[in-house]
Amino acid sequence: MGIYLNSGNDNFKIACNSEIYVDKTEMMEQTNRMINTQQRFICISRPRRFGKSMAAYMLAAYYGKDSDSSELFASYKIAKTEDYQKHLNQYNVIMLNIQDFLSVTGSVAEMLSFLQKRVIKELKREYPNIIDEDESVLSFALEDLYSRTKEGVIFIIDEWDCILRDNHYSAEDQKKYLDFIRNLLKDKAYVALAYMTGILPIKKYGTHSALNMFDEYSMTRPFEYAQFIGFTETEVKELCEEYQVDFDTMKSWYDGYDFPEVGHIYNPKSVVDSIRRKCFASYWTQTETYEALKIYIDLNYDGLKDAIVQMLAGEKIAIDYETFQNDMMTFQSRDDVLTLLVHLGYLAYYSDCQQVSIPNSEIRAEFVRAIKNCKWKEVINALEQSDRLLSATWNQDEKTVAEILDIVHSENTSILTYNDENSLSCVISIAYYNTIKEYTKIREFPTGKGFADIVYLPKKHS
């Protein structure tokens, strides 16, 4: 058992031993189907703290030689699938966390050299009569191993995109790294399966992907892996029932991602922490400061501010995500910024209408914090007036209600079409922003002979 070659099942055991664990082992029924096929290259991207590393540990525990994981998986869903035994602990697994290598080296070239040196060292120890003592190129070492043993290797690469997310690295550095991944994996018979996971989809150069052998699954196109991106609504309901937590409140706080394949998906980090701590609060957003969000929404692209304000008011915004270059530095339009926010988990994407929105209360609060530090005076003023407006509404003080709405409307005419119905609805939604705590907002509410434009219904515990 090594650090990178067949690293064992200890890390996955830790996940299984946690106070709250949701069984996602059925994902391997999908990966089993891809082994030793043209579709054996899989890249799954999802936001931070959505279980990327846990899934990587799970795959390593299931596929890796030098471990017996039969008891570990016996009670989980994967054990009931047809090919479970066929693939259990049958492969050499090379598991790499790129961030670990990057953090101890000074450049991309040094990192790639160090990575190969460390992995080859373990291969030599395991196969001393096959791997040449002076071999320094990982792909050559693996070709020699495959030619002698005919045993395929499963690659699991975590945080594969960390170089693309860091503006310290030039386009040349990025290209050098992507060329290494391509040369290590593409058209190599020794690859039984390659599973990469990170936050961003694969980097594009011009109109082409640098790693075009991979099938990609992301927050905009999760396809058959959608149910493994986060917790499904069924899983969250079961957790709420088991731990006696109010599901409606849970939904308000952490729901919002919606995939056609499975429906609603919840943020795993926030769901687990709210149950453990018996308190609904911002848990996922606390793992990164609002400064990270502020950087992107403060970019001066036409229409970006309008879009953020409308989404803050509960509206959906149409985007074209195809122009995004899949890095955190190359932005050419409002849509590029909004697409990045989808991949980071700050926005939810709806493929049926190709629109995005702020998914839930937790993230909406993060947008408000970022906006206050972006110095958007008109929006900040509207938000700050919201409590006063709600109080005036409760007290049937129509004069104060009219005055506040007029101020909010007038101050935001620079970003909203003054008399457009949707814009007026947006003004109402921004002005009554703090009703989120007590009310559920419904657009186009049926009233018998027609529809009310906006209705606020008290929440269950209001």
Side-chain angles (χ1 to χ4, degrees):
M1 187 181 297
I3 299 172
Y4 314 107
L5 176 65
N6 301 325
S7 55
N9 56 26
D10 288 346
N11 283 316
F12 185 57
K13 281 182 181 178
I14 292 171
C16 296
N17 291 336
S18 299
E19 183 180 354
I20 298 172
Y21 169 74
V22 173
D23 183 1
K24 292 290 184 179
T25 59
E26 275 186 314
M27 187 182 83
M28 293 179 297
E29 185 176 20
Q30 300 289 344
T31 57
N32 284 345
R33 291 171 44 237
M34 306 307 172
I35 290 176
N36 290 321
T37 71
Q38 292 288 353
Q39 292 74 42
R40 66 192 187 278
F41 301 97
I42 301 166
C43 182
I44 297 182
S45 57
R46 47 180 146 172
R48 58 188 170 81
R49 307 306 298 272
F50 265 63
K52 294 187 298 294
S53 296
M54 194 213 72
Y57 294 143
M58 177 180 71
L59 292 170
Y62 175 66
Y63 289 119
K65 285 184 175 181
D66 299 337
S67 295
D68 181 359
S69 298
S70 55
E71 185 176 344
L72 178 60
F73 287 102
S75 62
Y76 295 135
K77 295 175 183 177
I78 186 62
K80 299 177 176 65
T81 61
E82 183 178 352
D83 290 333
Y84 167 64
Q85 291 290 347
K86 177 181 177 181
H87 299 287
L88 179 64
N89 300 132
Q90 296 299 308
Y91 300 88
N92 277 321
V93 170
I94 294 177
M95 183 171 176
L96 307 171
N97 185 315
I98 302 301
Q99 185 66 62
D100 289 346
F101 291 103
L102 199 60
S103 63
V104 296
T105 51
S107 67
V108 170
E110 183 185 351
M111 184 272 287
L112 295 177
S113 176
F114 181 64
L115 182 157
Q116 293 181 87
K117 181 180 178 181
R118 294 283 286 172
V119 178
I120 290 173
K121 180 181 178 181
E122 292 192 4
L123 287 170
K124 288 176 181 176
R125 187 170 62 221
E126 190 71 20
Y127 299 96
N129 298 323
I130 296 178
I131 309 300
D132 291 341
E133 187 60 35
D134 60 349
E135 183 60 75
S136 61
V137 179
L138 181 56
S139 60
F140 290 168
L142 292 169
E143 284 176 346
D144 289 343
L145 178 61
Y146 184 74
S147 69
R148 295 279 295 275
T149 66
K150 296 302 179 183
E151 294 178 355
V153 175
I154 289 181
F155 290 85
I156 302 171
I157 306 178
D158 195 10
E159 301 288 355
W160 83 271
D161 60 335
C162 59
I163 291 172
L164 311 182
R165 305 196 313 255
D166 193 328
N167 59 13
H168 290 104
Y169 300 101
S170 65
E172 184 61 31
D173 282 334
Q174 293 181 9
K175 186 175 185 301
K176 185 181 298 182
Y177 168 65
L178 292 171
D179 284 345
F180 168 77
I181 298 292
R182 183 180 63 239
N183 293 335
L184 177 65
L185 301 177
K186 188 172 183 178
D187 298 327
K188 297 295 192 289
Y190 59 70
V191 178
L193 180 74
Y195 175 93
M196 296 201 312
T197 184
I199 292 176
L200 298 176
I202 290 172
K203 169 72 177 175
K204 299 175 183 176
Y205 285 106
T207 58
H208 302 287
S209 168
L211 301 174
N212 58 10
M213 68 282 201
F214 276 89
D215 285 330
E216 293 190 72
Y217 305 88
S218 68
M219 295 299 284
T220 54
R221 293 179 295 186
F223 302 121
E224 63 265 32
Y225 289 91
Q227 63 180 307
F228 309 114
I229 296 292
F231 290 169
T232 65
E233 188 152 276
T234 298
E235 289 165 343
V236 174
K237 284 181 177 178
E238 290 173 352
L239 287 173
C240 287
E241 183 176 345
E242 180 179 355
Y243 292 94
Q244 297 183 327
V245 173
D246 183 68
F247 171 73
D248 291 335
T249 307
M250 181 75 78
K251 185 177 180 68
S252 171
W253 268 92
Y254 308 123
D255 184 21
Y257 308 98
D258 194 306
F259 301 135
E261 296 83 357
V262 296
H264 294 260
I265 291 290
Y266 289 67
N267 182 322
K269 163 73 175 171
S270 297
V271 169
V272 168
D273 283 359
S274 66
I275 293 173
R276 288 179 55 244
R277 298 175 185 180
K278 303 186 187 310
C279 175
F280 294 103
S282 297
Y283 297 110
W284 177 73
T285 55
Q286 287 178 356
T287 64
E288 187 171 85
T289 68
Y290 66 81
E291 286 291 336
L293 177 59
K294 176 182 179 296
I295 290 169
Y296 301 113
I297 69 173
D298 212 18
L299 292 172
N300 190 27
Y301 288 108
D302 288 343
L304 180 58
K305 184 176 180 180
D306 299 29
I308 298 297
V309 171
Q310 290 180 61
M311 288 189 292
L312 196 64
E315 305 296 322
K316 292 181 181 178
I317 300 296
I319 68 164
D320 176 8
Y321 66 82
E322 295 288 356
T323 62
F324 182 54
Q325 292 299 300
N326 298 346
D327 64 32
M328 290 182 162
M329 292 152 280
T330 309
F331 301 107
Q332 299 177 357
S333 67
R334 177 198 82 162
D335 285 356
D336 288 347
V337 178
L338 296 179
T339 303
L340 173 60
L341 294 181
V342 171
H343 292 301
L344 293 177
Y346 287 109
L347 295 178
Y349 177 73
Y350 304 91
S351 59
D352 57 342
C353 56
Q354 297 183 336
Q355 293 179 316
V356 295
S357 71
I358 298 173
N360 53 49
S361 298
E362 179 182 29
I363 297 176
R364 191 174 291 108
E366 191 74 0
F367 269 93
V368 171
R369 280 190 285 271
I371 285 170
K372 287 181 178 178
N373 285 274
C374 289
K375 312 302 182 186
W376 294 6
K377 294 181 181 178
E378 299 86 356
V379 181
I380 295 168
N381 183 52
L383 296 175
E384 289 177 345
Q385 293 275 12
S386 188
D387 277 335
R388 182 169 166 244
L389 175 61
L390 184 57
S391 179
T393 304
W394 284 339
N395 292 325
Q396 302 182 43
D397 181 356
E398 66 272 22
K399 181 180 178 181
T400 301
V401 169
E403 287 176 355
I404 295 174
L405 288 176
D406 185 54
I407 291 170
V408 174
H409 193 188
S410 298
E411 287 185 344
N412 287 280
T413 52
S414 61
I415 58 170
L416 298 170
T417 304
Y418 193 84
N419 286 319
D420 177 77
E421 181 180 347
N422 288 329
S423 297
L424 293 171
S425 295
C426 186
V427 167
I428 294 291
S429 298
I430 288 292
Y432 279 99
Y433 174 79
N434 282 347
T435 58
I436 289 171
K437 302 170 186 176
E438 302 287 342
Y439 294 87
T440 298
K441 186 184 76 171
I442 300 176
R443 293 286 303 271
E444 301 296 324
F445 190 81
T447 58
K449 291 187 177 181
F451 294 86
D453 291 314
I454 302 175
V455 168
Y456 292 91
L457 296 179
K459 290 183 177 178
K460 190 173 181 179
H461 301 296
S462 174

